[in-house]
């Protein structure tokens, strides 16, 4: 019997980010935590369980019959998938018709104004041995509505960011705060 009986090693492979799937009318977004849990795979397959209203995302290879492009080597909007460089975890947005049809059947989107977006978000449960994350639509967080990124809203955000950046530069010049 060792002093360390019952302890588990904590390493870099432990996912600390939330594993969230966000379903919108035009896309399905998987958070950085999902990508990390699956190991940043180039391809995944989407599995649905209609009886239990569950959706599973499992890493697979390109030869799989139902493979969907997931993480890419270059930033691209080709094939309906957006993600950063492979090997580096980032969120992934899938816009393929097959995925949208398979996932959206579990949700009823409320009518929203033109400058708003309705979406549903749910947390997933990871099973690392099988490289799969499972989402239960029955435990979906309430539906949300947020403002869409209009050109005016983007300009306002950009302006605030520029002002913040200028203020940081002024602080650096006055030697009040040193940024590293």
């Amino acid at each position: 019997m060792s002093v360390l009986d019952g302890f588990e090693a904590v390493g870099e492979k432990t996912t600390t980010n939330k594993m969230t799937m966000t379903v919108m009318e035009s896309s399905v977004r998987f958070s950085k935590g999902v990508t990390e849990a699956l190991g940043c795979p180039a391809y995944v397959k989407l599995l649905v369980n209609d009886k239990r209203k569950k959706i599973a995302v499992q890493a697979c290879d390109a030869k799989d019959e139902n493979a969907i492009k997931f993480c890419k080597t270059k930033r691209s909007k080709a094939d309906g998938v957006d993600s950063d460089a492979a090997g580096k975890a980032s969120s992934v947005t899938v816009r393929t018709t097959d995925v949208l049809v398979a996932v959206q059947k579990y949700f009823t989107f409320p009518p929203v104004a033109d400058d708003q977006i309705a979406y549903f978000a749910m947390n997933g449960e990871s099973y690392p041995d099988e490289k799969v994350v499972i989402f239960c639509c029955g435990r979906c967080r309430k539906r949300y509505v947020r403002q869409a990124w209009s050109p005016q809203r983007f300009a306002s955000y950009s302006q605030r960011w520029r002002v913040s950046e200028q203020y940081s530069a002024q602080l650096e010049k006055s030697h009040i705060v040193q940024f590293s």
Side-chain angles (χ1 to χ4, degrees):
M1 181 177 242
S2 171
V3 179
L4 297 177
D5 283 345
F7 285 88
E8 291 182 28
V10 177
E12 290 183 24
K13 293 187 178 184
T14 305
T15 301
T16 57
N17 293 313
K18 283 187 178 182
M19 292 176 284
T20 307
M21 178 174 71
T22 305
V23 180
M24 295 169 268
E25 289 182 322
S26 62
S27 64
V28 177
R29 187 168 189 82
F30 298 96
S31 69
K32 180 179 179 179
V34 174
T35 308
E36 285 177 346
L38 296 174
C40 301
Y43 293 90
V44 296
K45 59 182 171 183
L46 189 77
L47 307 156
V48 293
N49 183 330
D50 288 330
K51 288 182 183 178
R52 295 187 178 169
K53 293 187 177 181
K54 291 188 176 186
I55 299 167
V57 181
Q58 185 176 33
C60 67
D61 59 6
K63 295 177 184 176
D64 193 297
E65 183 180 336
N66 298 310
I68 300 167
K69 288 187 179 185
F70 201 64
C71 293
K72 291 189 162 257
T73 54
K74 295 179 181 176
R75 184 148 178 89
S76 171
K77 290 188 180 183
D79 301 319
V81 178
D82 296 341
S83 73
D84 287 333
K88 180 182 174 189
S90 67
S91 61
V92 175
T93 302
V94 180
R95 292 183 174 90
T96 58
T97 306
D98 294 342
V99 171
L100 292 174
V101 169
V103 172
Q104 288 179 351
K105 65 184 172 186
Y106 300 116
F107 306 98
T108 303
F109 290 92
V112 294
D114 289 342
D115 64 339
Q116 294 180 328
I117 297 173
Y119 65 96
F120 295 86
M122 67 202 83
N123 293 328
E125 193 172 335
S126 175
Y127 297 89
D129 294 340
E130 298 182 42
K131 288 212 171 206
V132 66
V133 178
I134 298 177
F135 301 92
C136 181
C137 298
R139 285 188 269 164
C140 176
R141 289 187 272 166
K142 292 182 181 179
R143 65 180 182 221
Y144 296 91
V145 177
R146 70 168 171 87
Q147 256 190 330
W149 281 98
S150 66
Q152 294 83 10
R153 185 172 176 215
F154 182 76
S156 169
Y157 179 79
S158 295
Q159 180 62 31
R160 283 190 304 235
W161 181 76
R162 277 190 226 108
V163 168
S164 174
E165 192 176 66
Q166 291 168 355
Y167 181 70
S168 297
Q170 288 173 353
L171 286 176
E172 274 188 24
K173 286 180 183 176
S174 64
H175 303 290
I176 295 172
V177 177
Q178 291 292 326
F179 293 99
S180 54

